[in-house]
Amino acid sequence: MTGYSWISVDMRALARPSEETHRRFLNKLNFEPGWREDMPTLAWTLSEPGRPDWVSTIELARLVSDRTRAVLEPLLGPEDRVQWLPATLTTSEGEALPYWVMHFPEPFDPYDERRTVRGPSGLPLPGGAVVSRARTAGHDVVAPPLEVSSLFVSDRVLMAMLDARLTGWDCRIATVA
């Protein structure tokens, strides 16, 4: 049986946008489904030392390193849809690195309808989310709608992330029914 973990970015190091022009694009990216064709420049600067594989941004973009993409992409399930948008992260030392924004053009609700406790917004309340095994069949990387700063990953993806020693993220075991 497949289990899932809730992955969230480590908020201790925050990258700031280098280009003001892309904020509106990222807001739409987070809240309007669909594939993107014309992308503006997506660039951030990290003021703290280091190069985390998963980077926290003010816009809640899922900004990840080449290493992260290399680990996740081969493990996507047959039903997973991820669009990798090119981005740049400039380190505090001034080095510009290739990064990617993970965009989920077809988000879906992975929750068990009967067991999940939701708030007035329709989002699960903290501690009230229960992932539906039936709904997530064929998915190994799941981005629930409106939850722009988190993902659910299957056990095999979590193990690969741990084995690769990817940095910049936290996880909790998800309740699955």
Side-chain angles (χ1 to χ4, degrees):
M1 289 180 128
T2 299
Y4 287 88
S5 292
W6 181 77
I7 302 295
S8 61
V9 69
D10 180 345
M11 301 295 277
R12 288 177 280 189
L14 182 66
R16 305 266 181 215
S18 298
E19 304 284 336
E20 291 300 321
T21 58
H22 72 290
R23 283 188 170 187
R24 198 169 327 133
F25 173 81
L26 286 169
N27 191 48
K28 286 184 177 183
L29 191 69
N30 287 338
F31 297 106
E32 295 176 15
W35 288 88
R36 299 307 195 265
E37 298 299 326
D38 296 320
M39 273 80 62
T41 299
L42 301 175
W44 287 266
T45 300
L46 193 59
S47 56
E48 294 82 9
R51 346 176 140 176
D53 292 302
W54 215 289
V55 180
S56 175
T57 71
I58 281 178
E59 304 84 5
L60 302 176
R62 292 181 179 100
L63 184 62
V64 300
S65 67
D66 273 341
R67 281 178 12 100
T68 302
R69 181 177 179 178
V71 169
L72 296 182
E73 195 167 33
L75 297 175
L76 293 174
E79 299 300 319
D80 292 329
R81 304 291 178 266
V82 177
Q83 184 178 13
W84 301 94
L85 307 178
T88 302
L89 178 70
T90 301
T91 67
S92 62
E93 295 83 25
E95 184 179 4
L97 303 170
Y99 267 65
W100 301 94
V101 172
M102 290 177 68
H103 170 53
F104 293 83
E106 302 169 10
F108 75 100
D109 189 328
Y111 300 111
D112 183 288
E113 281 302 314
R114 293 179 317 156
R115 293 180 177 99
T116 296
V117 179
R118 297 179 188 261
S121 68
L123 293 174
L125 293 174
V130 179
V131 175
S132 167
R133 198 175 310 282
R135 282 187 175 191
T136 54
H139 290 277
D140 284 284
V141 180
V142 178
L146 304 178
E147 294 184 48
V148 297
S149 62
S150 61
L151 298 172
F152 288 104
V153 298
S154 68
D155 290 342
R156 74 186 189 110
V157 173
L158 177 64
M159 290 298 108
M161 290 172 66
L162 291 168
D163 288 347
R165 299 178 192 256
L166 296 179
T167 61
W169 56 280
D170 294 314
C171 86
R172 292 190 323 234
I173 302 302
T175 303
V176 180

